[in-house]
Amino acid sequence: MNTVVSEGIVNLYNEMNDLVNKSGMYLNLEDDNGCLYFNVWNTHTWGEYTLYYFPVKFVEELNPTLRRIVITFYHDFMKENGITTINDEADMDWAIDMLTEGCYEDEDAKERRAREKLVKSYKDGRAYKFLDRVWRKSYYKNLPKAIEEYECKNGFEQGLIELLRRGLEFIKMEKAIMYYGYDPFYDEEPDYLPMTLEQQIRVVYDSDDIMTEHLIDFYNSSRQESYDIIPASTFAVSPKTDKVFTLEDTYPERFFKWADDFIHYIR
């Protein structure tokens, strides 16, 4: 690229960047297979929790019919939004190693058995199998109908069904929450990788046990040398652009508002 063209692009970028910044948005100059283009972007508002870990342990205590409804909801919700469980993930292997090989000199025999039982559960036992079941199983082809026809037995079930009803909005959407995982600071050869939405939004077995605590510790340690991906909307600007970029899409905000209510309710 010759000097005149390079200076022209820099000048154009600076002028556009000034205009975009005045509107409270940001501008990147990016490459698409050798073609440069401007990408306008802005972040959405994160929710109440630092990490959105959706627990499933409570589902085991539900009656069989409601259990199948909730498992189906989790399954569809995960598939549609690109959300995974913690099974077979690298940080999960680290957490298991910490609980297996860590220093526990002060624990008594009862505590040691409980720790070993927990490790077994997450490696190939109850926790692993139930997370796998939630990932694989879908019992209802018409989930909205199953939710509407379910007869609640108590106040907790009424609240849960209402949250599931609200959560149907986040199934069968045109865009998933992971669609917004744009990295505005992307580098082909980064010194460290960013903390992705896939790491921040996941399904766990129990949100309060020591295994999940280790996962959170791993995340917090890793992010000290990195940065979090925050959901963002983007808009590519080219000579063919015929509309103005706006943040009319509020999917992430609605997602996090519902997730705040759901996680708070079931914990």
Side-chain angles (χ1 to χ4, degrees), residues 113-131:
R113 287 194 297 271
R115 176 171 57 83
E116 292 174 347
K117 181 179 180 181
L118 183 67
V119 170
K120 171 66 175 176
S121 179
Y122 274 96
K123 287 184 70 174
D124 54 16
R126 182 170 184 169
Y128 185 95
K129 291 176 180 177
F130 196 72
L131 284 168

Side-chain angles (χ1 to χ4, degrees), residues 35-194:
C35 296
L36 294 177
Y37 69 98
F38 293 108
N39 201 8
V40 181
W41 62 276
N42 206 348
T43 57
H44 291 270
T45 302
W46 194 263
E48 173 186 340
Y49 293 97
T50 301
L51 295 174
Y52 279 83
Y53 282 2
F54 293 86
V56 297
K57 184 179 179 181
F58 81 98
V59 181
E60 295 177 315
E61 301 176 3
L62 302 176
N63 70 67
T65 301
L66 185 54
R67 187 185 311 137
R68 288 192 292 270
I69 290 174
V70 177
I71 288 175
T72 301
F73 177 88
Y74 261 95
H75 172 88
D76 293 352
F77 174 69
M78 293 168 67
K79 295 291 186 179
E80 291 296 325
N81 281 281
I83 298 170
T84 63
T85 73
I86 57 176
N87 280 355
D88 305 316
E89 296 293 338
D91 56 346
M92 189 63 200
D93 292 338
W94 177 89
I96 289 176
D97 288 342
M98 286 295 294
L99 279 176
T100 303
E101 303 172 2
C103 181
Y104 298 96
E105 296 178 353
D106 297 332
E107 70 179 2
D108 57 28
K110 181 178 180 181
E111 291 171 333
R112 176 177 55 79
R113 287 194 297 271
R115 176 171 57 83
E116 292 174 347
K117 181 179 180 181
L118 183 67
V119 170
K120 171 66 175 176
S121 179
Y122 274 96
K123 287 184 70 174
D124 54 16
R126 182 170 184 169
Y128 185 95
K129 291 176 180 177
F130 196 72
L131 284 168
D132 186 59
R133 178 183 175 188
V134 170
W135 171 252
R136 292 185 298 102
K137 286 289 187 178
S138 179
Y139 294 96
Y140 296 94
K141 292 185 178 180
N142 190 338
L143 179 60
K145 180 180 179 182
I147 291 174
E148 290 303 322
E149 293 183 348
Y150 179 76
E151 296 182 4
C152 298
K153 310 298 189 299
N154 52 52
F156 174 79
E157 291 189 359
Q158 290 176 344
L160 179 59
I161 284 293
E162 177 56 29
L163 283 164
L164 296 181
R165 186 180 294 114
R166 285 174 52 195
L168 289 172
E169 174 189 354
F170 309 108
I171 298 175
K172 301 299 182 184
M173 292 290 292
E174 181 179 346
K175 297 178 182 178
I177 191 63
M178 297 305 167
Y179 171 87
Y180 300 89
Y182 171 70
D183 182 3
F185 311 111
Y186 173 76
D187 188 339
E188 289 185 357
E189 299 180 358
D191 294 329
Y192 44 80
L193 295 173

Side-chain angles (χ1 to χ4, degrees), residues 12-22 25-27:
L12 178 59
Y13 172 83
N14 290 334
E15 291 179 7
M16 289 189 63
N17 193 47
D18 289 340
L19 292 172
V20 168
N21 288 166
K22 289 178 182 178
M25 294 178 286
Y26 305 93
L27 183 71

